[in-house]
Amino acid sequence: MFLALTLLLPIPVSNRKKNKRILSEKSYGKLTARERILLLLDPDSFDEYDMFVEHRCSDFGMDSNKNKYPGDSVVTGRGRINGRLAYVFSQVWFCLLSLVTDFTVFGGSLSGAHAQKICKVMDQAAMVGAPVIGLNDSGGARIQEGVESLAGYADIFLRNVLCSGVVPQISLIMGPCAGGAVYSPALTDFTFMVKDTSYLFITGPDVVKSVTNEDVTQEQLGGAKTHTAVSGVAHRAFENDIDALLNLREFFNYLPLSNRDPAPVCECHDPSDRLVPELDTVVPVESTKAYDMLDIIHSIADEREFFEIMPSYARNIVVGFARMNGRTVGIVGNQPKVASGCLDINSSVKGARFVRFCDAFNIPLITFVDVPGFLPGTAQEYGGIIRHGAKLLFAFAEATVPKITIITRKAYGGAYDVMSSKHLRGDANYAWPTAEVAVMGAKGAVQIIFRGKEANAEAEYVDKFANPFPAAMRGFVDDIIQPSTTRMRICHDLDVLASKTQSSPWKKHANIPL
Amino acid sequence: KAGLSLSVAAYIYNQAGAASKHICVFSSKAMEEEKMHVSGGRKACVLFISRFLLFFSLQTFEKLLIANRGEIACRVIKTCKKMGIKTVAIHSDVDANAVHVKMADEAVCVGPAPTGKSYLNMDAIMEVIKKTRAQAVHPGYGFLSENKEFARRLASEGVTFIGPDTHAIQAMGDKIESKLLAKNAKVNTIPGFDGVVKDADEAVRIAREIGYPVMIKASAGGGGKGMRIAWDDEETREGFRFSSQEAASSFGDDRLLIEKFIDNPRHIEIQVLADKHGNALWLNERECSIQRRNQKVVEEAPSTFLDPETRRAMGEQAVALAKAVKYSSAGTVEFLVDSSKNFYFLEMNTRLQVEHPVTECITGLDLVQEMIRVAKGYPLRHKQADIPINGWAVECRVYAEDPYKSFGLPSIGKLSQYQEPLHVPSVRVDSGIQQGSDISIYYDPMISKLITYGSNRAEALKRMEEALDNYVIRGVAHNISLLREVIVHPRFVQGDISTKFLPEVYPDGFKGHKLTDLERRELLATAASLYVPCLVSQQVEVDGMKLNVTSEWNLASPLLSVTVDGTQRTIQRLSRNASGDTRIQFLGTVYKLQILTKVAAELSKYMPEKAAEDTSSILRSPMPGAVVAVSVKPGDTVSEGQEICVIEAMKMQNSMIAAKTGKVKAVHCKAGDTVGEGDLLVELE
């Protein structure tokens, strides 16, 4: 029996003390680089590379034997996650000598040798077509090595860019990550963080204080909360190392191994023709009342499972992975519960990046639309909502994976066009009976058309446009469907669309409005 | 004419066929007749003629309006369909998609969500009756069921009220008058004061005369609302204040009365059925002692406590009372029974009771059908000697409420998943909701009534256990854990119960099922095998002991059946996540487990502990509701246990108290606010 179970009962404090590693503050609450790999990969599946590599620096007494560690400050290799190949590097913030003593390997800092080891696994991963997972825990550049260390960073950045769109790249930030080092995670497809122990920033609080005179803590400046809720740099944060690594394993199951692989298909026990009766009542009668888009997503997904990406950032749009009849799909949905589900700068960028990832890796897209439009205001216009909103439009239009769209309620104005509409090469576009496809809400429309002179005009406009028929008559939605049949329809469409091929005119690459 | 009758008769057949599928433990005489013909497979014309005759013999009303919502509205509609009566449902705007609306032939909106503006809105309901030309109104229970004004208005419009006449409603609806009537009809009554209590001082004086403990209750009340027990002068004053407030808000009538409080009583009631020709029957008793805050939770029929003599004496007194007020229709005479089997008249409910299904199960009568027949003026079809006690029936009231907070505080939400255990034999579920329905703050939080039937009590209880395990309710808190604990508790199984059962058995509040060592091992083994679900049979080692787990689960199904060392259990996995956190409903109670591989479990001891929020200095609303009063302001010093504010939910006033002594830092609510569960009310320093 290889499982161990713990009922969540309080453990007496005395026992906890006994079990705790008495370590320096630096390693408090952290696992070692190798323990992390042990948890991430299947048992006995890790094949390590370059265990004998040492750094080549001879200045500042670095060539003495006590300053040399076999493998230097990173562990690299390949292994399997639920049987599927992955390349891994795990930076060494500290090592354990015994249960009570630890030491750091130059604070996990990046030497030329360290970078070379990472580049080797990235090259192999791109060649065989398998994802790269980085477990980042590094103090930054190895200052003793000078420009050699900077060159090492650049070598990694180049490979991050070349691998982008070829194999999925995932960064899990498990400790400090500052200065130039932050750009490697930023270039990868997904960045996850561990709460309370990981930080990402260009310059630390001391430099900030001396330059801008701002008082700020590490946590406020670049902690998990900041990056998952405010800056949008990280895609999700986890409670601790174990939680993060176990979630990473779960997340990995959704991903194809490379851009040449189709979206993975799991064995599915949830019937594909399952009716979902609660969807018939999920949209409230009053069109001003909010509901939770996550309720819809959970209820149609296989076994109600949904891996949400960026759950705390730009919450007016929901993005994440789920499975339909066993096949991975990317789901995008406006969230009426937050800011009425409108599109603004942050939500457009969040949506656009997710859509492009799915398109790059052959993951079908399912879009749930309930959008009252783009958010008006000076803050948005000055911030460049036109430019940023265009990103989402660009991403949906460019995507050639199967695209299925369900309009649950409002699809107003330009936002209707943007949200994977039929006009942007949508494959199957459906409307629920509650859908309203119009240029704007009835009140505003009537004010413009009649300047308030027509008393019954509002009712007429509602009659004409606050329903899915005008769009259905023009073929802009393929069908008006009973909400409870949504899962069934999507699964049938995905089956058919599995063999979809579509291409765009030849180009070096498109010019997305960055 | 003949052609018309033909189509109507066919309609009965179809509806009856549909109804018999839904109501599984139903067997009224009429239905048995029908089934006989259907199964007999005689020629179509013979069948038709018998149906034709049946139609005339049963003809009651063409169209009936149900002035209610939820399960009871659905319950009435089912019988109407069986009898070939067209139905009209009324609903508030938030109930537009409710089940009773979908089931009825017609449905009309009578106003916005608050009951005062919709289900209690007599003007609007009278309008609907006129518009739809309904000939009769069934009021269900609650709402307008015991409102004499409503009955009077219906009578003046020539519409039949399915219930007793206004005289009986008035006489029995007033606790003071009903007590006098009962005394005159030689029914045993509780010693007490036969008048209205004017103020708190008079309340204290009377209470001293009767002798403590005393019960203060609303004269117009029912269902435990506006009821308080007082053991001394101070409690009498406080009880007087609370009861009159609650009575005023619930019934619009703040008159109170006081009587001797019978300590440790059982609550046993007699179902009576009377017609307009002076005939009355008693349909045996229902034991309703398992209560929390004077509201019933588990009911059964018959009672384990009554012997045939006591049963007959109670039944005869109940019938005597019914006859004394010229009662017609179904009604219930409630008694308190003390440990020496002395029984005292408590009150008479002039309506269909929530718990009527248990009586239907053991007597085979359809009470709604009998009520409709009686209202039309037909005499009773049965004699007292025809009323049997067949087997045993138990009813659990499944509520959307959190049983861990004073045995049940309302919870609201959307039923994201809902599946009734109808595949368990001899189970009847009376509900008015379905998957996707909202449990809102406006109405009673009852999800359903779960009734099981067996040839004896043990069988009925065994089936109830199985039914509760197989009941899938997700999206709202529910009281399945409490119900399941009650029905397996040794005291309940022996029949040793009283109205104080819950506070006596769980003096520190209900905490869920306590796992025995064996059950704990079973749970752990099951959880472990859930981690590797592809194997049908496996051996799991828990604490050095080997257990064999056999299962064929489909993890997409909400119900998982597993056999551990030969014991079959149905469990539900409510949630899981990647970090191994799993919630499993096992023996009714939800357990939080963490399932990890051995490596992860060993390493998790090095993970930092995160500090939880200190909850003693903040007061959060335990349920959704409205703030009635706030008795502190910032800067006040409060002592532990002092009342901070009062929250009203589902018409119950709940006093929120300080968890520790301290100074009030901030008050986040004011009287009149609507608050949700978990909303911050008051912060202490």
Side-chain angles (χ1 to χ4, degrees):
Chain A
M1 186 65 219
F2 69 90
L3 292 168
L5 291 154
T6 33
L7 258 177
L8 283 186
L9 298 171
I11 302 160
V13 176
S14 56
N15 284 4
R16 278 184 196 153
K17 284 235 169 88
K18 245 182 263 165
N19 285 336
K20 185 162 283 171
R21 279 200 287 233
I22 306 152
L23 294 172
S24 58
E25 213 173 300
K26 274 182 199 140
S27 54
Y28 174 70
K30 284 178 163 191
L31 297 181
T32 66
R34 278 175 209 284
E35 283 168 344
R36 286 167 178 170
I37 288 176
L38 193 64
L39 274 182
L40 175 65
L41 301 178
D42 294 346
D44 302 324
S45 75
F46 182 55
D47 293 319
E48 190 171 346
Y49 295 165
D50 293 339
M51 208 192 293
F52 301 102
V53 168
E54 289 178 351
H55 72 75
R56 299 176 292 269
C57 180
S58 53
D59 303 323
F60 313 108
M62 290 288 280
D63 54 351
S64 80
N65 266 344
K66 73 171 171 57
N67 277 338
K68 292 221 169 181
Y69 304 97
D72 205 42
S73 53
V74 67
V75 181
T76 60
R78 61 154 199 253
R80 291 189 182 266
I81 296 177
N82 294 311
R84 298 166 75 230
L85 182 65
Y87 283 84
V88 186
F89 66 87
S90 178
Q91 293 174 317
V92 183
W93 172 256
F94 75 102
C95 289
L96 288 176
L97 277 180
S98 70
L99 263 183
V100 289
T101 9
D102 63 346
F103 65 97
T104 80
V105 183
F106 306 112
S109 65
L110 188 125
S111 65
H114 179 139
Q116 190 194 339
K117 283 182 70 174
I118 292 176
C119 289
K120 191 190 260 183
V121 289
M122 289 178 79
D123 287 340
Q124 273 222 5
M127 208 157 57
V128 303
V132 182
I133 297 171
L135 308 179
N136 299 57
D137 192 355
S138 160
R142 187 158 314 162
I143 301 165
Q144 295 90 330
E145 291 201 0
V147 71
E148 171 114 21
S149 170
L150 291 185
Y153 274 127
D155 289 341
I156 296 170
F157 297 158
L158 174 70
R159 280 164 182 80
N160 282 140
V161 174
L162 293 179
C163 287
S164 183
V166 179
V167 292
Q169 301 179 76
I170 306 159
S171 303
L172 176 55
I173 316 298
M174 309 188 83
C177 185
V182 298
Y183 285 108
S184 179
L187 290 168
T188 59
D189 298 304
F190 294 99
T191 305
F192 299 118
M193 292 180 80
V194 178
K195 287 179 189 168
D196 303 324
T197 49
S198 73
Y199 309 100
L200 270 169
F201 36 65
I202 298 284
T203 49
D206 299 341
V207 181
V208 170
K209 174 76 181 165
S210 68
V211 176
T212 66
N213 208 27
E214 281 174 284
D215 276 312
V216 68
T217 62
Q218 278 196 342
E219 183 63 34
Q220 289 165 340
L221 187 63
K225 203 173 167 190
T226 305
H227 287 313
T228 51
V230 183
S231 73
V233 166
H235 294 86
R236 224 168 130 163
F238 301 104
E239 287 306 317
N240 56 44
D241 281 10
I242 293 176
D243 187 28
L245 292 162
L246 294 178
N247 271 285
L248 193 49
R249 277 178 68 86
E250 175 116 332
F251 174 64
F252 189 83
N253 294 343
Y254 287 100
L255 304 180
L257 295 182
S258 76
N259 60 352
R260 282 159 283 168
D261 258 25
V265 180
C266 280
E267 190 186 356
C268 175
H269 299 284
D270 202 353
S272 63
D273 56 356
R274 170 169 61 92
L275 292 180
V276 191
E278 69 259 39
L279 293 185
D280 289 336
T281 54
V282 75
V283 176
V285 184
E286 308 93 315
S287 73
T288 47
K289 222 174 139 192
Y291 59 93
D292 193 347
M293 190 56 86
L294 284 169
D295 287 344
I296 296 180
I297 296 171
H298 281 293
S299 65
I300 62 142
D302 285 0
E303 296 181 23
R304 304 182 66 83
E305 287 191 356
F306 178 58
F307 193 95
E308 195 175 349
I309 300 294
M310 298 179 107
S312 336
Y313 179 77
R315 293 189 300 125
N316 40 351
I317 201 163
V318 175
V319 302
F321 296 101
R323 291 191 185 86
M324 297 296 285
N325 202 14
R327 182 184 280 113
T328 298
V329 293
I331 295 184
V332 180
N334 305 112
Q335 174 58 287
K337 231 175 73 172
V338 182
S340 307
C342 72
L343 286 175
D344 58 6
I345 294 173
N346 291 347
S347 59
S348 300
V349 174
K350 169 178 166 183
R353 182 152 174 80
F354 180 75
V355 168
R356 292 197 98 211
F357 176 82
C358 292
D359 186 39
F361 291 101
N362 316 316
I363 298 171
L365 281 163
I366 297 169
T367 311
F368 289 95
V369 184
D370 185 352
V371 62
F374 281 98
L375 183 64
T378 50
Q380 290 291 312
E381 294 291 357
Y382 295 174
I385 178 71
I386 298 176
R387 191 160 54 87
H388 296 293
K391 291 177 184 170
L392 184 58
L393 174 60
F394 195 106
F396 269 124
E398 175 193 44
T400 55
V401 289
K403 288 189 284 193
I404 299 170
T405 307
I406 293 99
I407 302 173
T408 59
R409 191 165 62 179
K410 292 174 205 146
Y412 286 168
Y416 154 71
D417 286 337
V418 170
M419 293 303 294
S420 195
S421 62
K422 192 78 193 163
H423 324 285
L424 304 180
R425 304 196 282 185
D427 294 305
N429 291 57
Y430 298 119
W432 284 3
T434 41
E436 306 168 15
V437 185
V439 176
M440 55 173 72
K443 210 169 172 182
V446 168
Q447 270 173 11
I448 293 168
I449 303 174
F450 299 103
R451 304 267 163 225
K453 283 179 199 132
E454 199 78 17
N456 296 330
E458 194 174 322
E460 194 191 331
Y461 196 87
V462 167
D463 211 35
K464 229 172 182 133
F465 288 108
N467 63 66
F469 291 102
M473 282 189 301
R474 289 163 180 82
F476 299 157
V477 299
D478 299 304
D479 200 357
I480 299 166
I481 61 169
Q482 183 73 18
S484 50
T485 62
T486 306
R487 173 176 162 84
M488 193 174 79
R489 299 294 288 248
I490 294 175
C491 288
H492 288 176
D493 283 326
L494 287 172
D495 268 353
V496 173
L497 290 168
S499 57
K500 174 186 176 182
T501 52
Q502 190 168 44
S503 57
S504 303
W506 184 90
K507 56 184 99 174
K508 186 175 174 195
H509 64 70
N511 187 15
I512 188 164
L514 290 173
Chain B
K1 179 87 189 173
L4 183 76
S5 307
L6 187 143
S7 67
V8 174
Y11 179 71
I12 300 178
Y13 165 65
N14 284 337
Q15 295 303 340
S20 62
K21 251 187 271 166
H22 295 297
I23 307 172
C24 49
V25 252
F26 249 45
S27 57
S28 75
K29 235 179 180 174
M31 271 189 73
E32 273 164 14
E33 262 176 43
E34 289 208 353
K35 273 185 198 155
M36 231 170 63
H37 289 304
V38 175
S39 57
R42 299 191 200 165
K43 279 186 177 171
C45 62
V46 179
L47 187 76
F48 171 69
I49 290 163
S50 76
R51 237 163 255 305
F52 189 78
L53 293 171
L54 188 74
F55 171 63
F56 280 104
S57 72
L58 277 177
Q59 192 182 24
T60 49
F61 303 101
E62 269 173 35
K63 196 187 264 186
L64 185 145
L65 179 138
I66 298 107
N68 214 308
R69 66 181 298 282
E71 67 87 14
I72 194 62
C74 298
R75 161 73 188 88
V76 174
I77 292 171
K78 276 178 194 168
T79 291
C80 287
K81 289 194 168 179
K82 192 174 75 176
M83 296 173 74
I85 302 170
K86 285 188 183 152
T87 50
V88 181
I90 59 164
H91 63 90
S92 65
D93 54 6
V94 294
D95 272 347
N97 281 321
V99 177
H100 76 280
V101 172
K102 290 179 190 161
M103 275 177 78
D105 297 309
E106 285 174 66
V108 185
C109 180
V110 288
T115 51
K117 291 177 182 160
S118 50
Y119 295 102
L120 291 172
N121 184 347
M122 275 189 243
D123 293 334
I125 296 170
M126 293 308 296
E127 194 60 35
V128 174
I129 293 168
K130 254 185 233 161
K131 208 173 81 187
T132 58
R133 297 196 189 138
Q135 297 164 330
V137 171
H138 196 298
Y141 52 75
F143 294 134
L144 296 169
S145 61
E146 288 168 295
N147 187 311
K148 56 180 187 286
E149 169 66 14
F150 183 59
R152 194 191 56 72
R153 281 181 73 169
L154 288 175
S156 71
E157 295 282 336
V159 177
T160 312
F161 177 76
I162 313 271
D165 57 21
T166 39
H167 164 71
I169 298 177
Q170 176 162 7
M172 289 298 136
D174 189 301
K175 290 206 173 138
I176 296 161
E177 200 185 332
S178 69
K179 218 166 147 183
L180 288 173
L181 265 165
K183 256 186 194 166
N184 294 339
K186 300 203 164 48
V187 177
N188 307 350
T189 55
I190 302 171
F193 177 65
D194 305 329
V196 177
V197 186
K198 286 188 203 69
D199 54 33
D201 289 334
E202 197 190 348
V204 171
R205 187 179 57 75
I206 296 165
R208 283 183 185 161
E209 265 173 33
I210 301 170
Y212 286 107
V214 295
M215 167 88 90
I216 303 161
K217 55 184 184 178
S219 176
K225 279 162 188 165
M227 219 182 248
R228 285 287 188 288
I229 297 155
W231 294 79
D232 55 36
D233 292 359
E234 199 184 321
E235 283 183 15
T236 308
R237 282 175 206 281
E238 195 186 319
F240 184 85
R241 183 167 62 89
F242 264 113
S243 291
S244 59
Q245 274 173 15
E246 257 181 40
S249 79
S250 296
F251 316 110
D253 177 354
D254 65 356
R255 289 178 305 145
L256 299 179
L257 61 104
I258 295 182
E259 64 189 18
K260 175 129 184 103
F261 173 64
I262 312 256
D263 199 11
N264 230 14
R266 282 168 176 259
H267 179 122
I268 297 176
E269 58 191 28
I270 300 286
Q271 175 74 52
V272 294
L273 184 63
D275 63 17
K276 292 181 177 172
H277 308 279
N279 305 313
L281 298 172
W282 48 276
L283 307 181
N284 302 316
E285 77 281 9
R286 289 187 291 258
E287 164 85 73
C288 311
S289 297
I290 307 292
Q291 306 184 344
R292 49 124 178 83
R293 298 194 306 265
N294 289 317
Q295 284 187 311
K296 297 158 190 168
V297 185
V298 179
E299 297 110 339
E300 63 184 309
S303 165
T304 52
F305 192 58
L306 295 193
D307 50 52
E309 289 76 48
T310 318
R311 178 174 297 128
R312 188 177 317 112
M314 288 172 75
E316 278 164 4
Q317 288 199 6
V319 163
L321 179 62
K323 285 186 172 163
V325 285
K326 300 198 170 54
Y327 196 86
S328 70
S329 189
T332 300
V333 183
E334 296 190 344
F335 291 96
L336 286 182
V337 184
D338 70 14
S339 46
S340 349
K341 291 189 185 158
N342 297 314
F343 57 91
Y344 304 98
F345 169 71
L346 197 60
E347 61 180 3
M348 180 168 185
N349 296 316
T350 57
R351 55 172 155 89
L352 190 64
Q353 294 273 93
V354 178
E355 59 274 24
H356 73 274
V358 288
T359 299
E360 293 185 331
C361 286
I362 61 159
T363 59
L365 267 68
D366 178 342
L367 285 175
V368 174
Q369 187 178 13
E370 299 306 320
M371 285 175 85
I372 294 173
R373 289 186 75 257
V374 166
K376 184 67 184 177
Y378 289 105
L380 295 177
R381 295 185 288 183
H382 307 274
K383 300 263 170 302
Q384 188 62 53
D386 301 339
I387 305 299
I389 299 185
N390 281 333
W392 212 285
V394 184
E395 174 182 284
C396 283
R397 295 195 193 182
V398 182
Y399 277 101
E401 56 183 26
D402 181 353
Y404 301 104
K405 295 179 190 164
S406 51
F407 301 115
L409 285 188
S411 131
I412 55 166
K414 188 182 274 290
L415 286 163
S416 56
Q417 268 179 295
Y418 181 75
Q419 193 179 306
E420 291 172 353
L422 295 171
H423 55 285
V424 179
S426 297
V427 167
R428 167 173 165 180
V429 184
D430 279 17
S431 70
I433 45 115
Q434 61 187 10
Q435 189 158 315
S437 292
D438 268 314
I439 307 283
S440 71
I441 57 166
Y442 300 111
Y443 311 112
D444 189 69
M446 189 159 82
I447 295 173
S448 75
K449 301 184 304 205
L450 178 60
I451 305 112
T452 57
Y453 175 79
S455 55
N456 55 44
R457 191 166 183 261
E459 192 179 78
L461 288 177
K462 192 73 211 157
R463 281 179 179 153
M464 181 60 81
E465 259 181 69
E466 202 184 335
L468 287 168
D469 282 341
N470 281 279
Y471 207 144
V472 180
I473 304 168
R474 310 275 168 86
V476 295
H478 56 77
N479 64 341
I480 297 265
S481 54
L482 176 65
L483 296 172
R484 203 186 184 288
E485 276 308 279
V486 168
I487 61 150
V488 300
H489 194 277
R491 265 189 64 183
F492 181 83
V493 173
Q494 286 160 22
D496 172 21
I497 53 177
S498 75
T499 52
K500 284 187 175 162
F501 178 85
L502 289 177
E504 276 174 14
V505 172
Y506 308 105
D508 306 322
F510 180 63
K511 300 268 195 285
H513 179 72
K514 293 264 176 302
L515 290 174
T516 61
D517 280 350
L518 178 69
E519 287 165 349
R520 181 174 167 276
R521 281 195 297 272
E522 274 180 22
L523 174 60
L524 291 176
T526 308
S529 55
L530 265 173
Y531 197 89
V532 272
C534 45
L535 304 171
V536 173
S537 180
Q538 44 198 314
Q539 200 172 57
V540 185
E541 191 182 313
V542 182
D543 302 340
M545 296 170 86
K546 287 194 172 67
L547 288 92
N548 289 306
V549 182
T550 319
S551 55
E552 273 181 57
W553 24 50
N554 167 2
L555 294 186
S557 152
L559 296 172
L560 304 173
S561 173
V562 60
T563 308
V564 184
D565 279 352
T567 315
Q568 195 275 331
R569 304 255 188 231
T570 302
I571 64 154
Q572 300 185 30
R573 185 172 70 173
L574 306 183
S575 69
R576 68 160 282 274
N577 67 15
S579 17
D581 297 324
T582 307
R583 282 162 61 236
I584 291 177
Q585 184 178 323
F586 178 74
L587 301 171
T589 296
V590 177
Y591 295 93
K592 284 186 189 173
L593 296 104
Q594 195 174 20
I595 310 174
L596 293 171
T597 59
K598 203 167 185 174
V599 176
E602 269 168 18
L603 292 174
S604 46
K605 61 189 174 211
Y606 305 128
M607 291 297 105
E609 290 152 44
K610 309 226 163 160
E613 186 184 43
D614 176 19
T615 50
S616 68
S617 61
I618 50 173
L619 181 68
R620 292 186 183 278
S621 174
M623 67 203 148
V627 180
V628 179
V630 181
S631 26
V632 296
K633 53 184 188 304
D636 286 0
T637 307
V638 292
S639 50
E640 191 180 324
Q642 187 183 332
E643 179 186 290
I644 289 185
C645 61
V646 179
I647 304 246
E648 188 181 282
M650 317 286 168
K651 293 190 177 155
M652 292 292 297
Q653 296 205 343
N654 298 274
S655 166
M656 304 283 110
I657 55 165
K660 64 171 191 184
T661 303
K663 208 171 178 185
V664 178
K665 191 170 153 196
V667 177
H668 297 279
C669 61
K670 58 179 191 300
D673 282 359
T674 309
V675 291
E677 184 177 342
D679 282 5
L680 191 58
L681 300 174
V682 173
E683 278 179 275
L684 302 180
E685 271 178 6

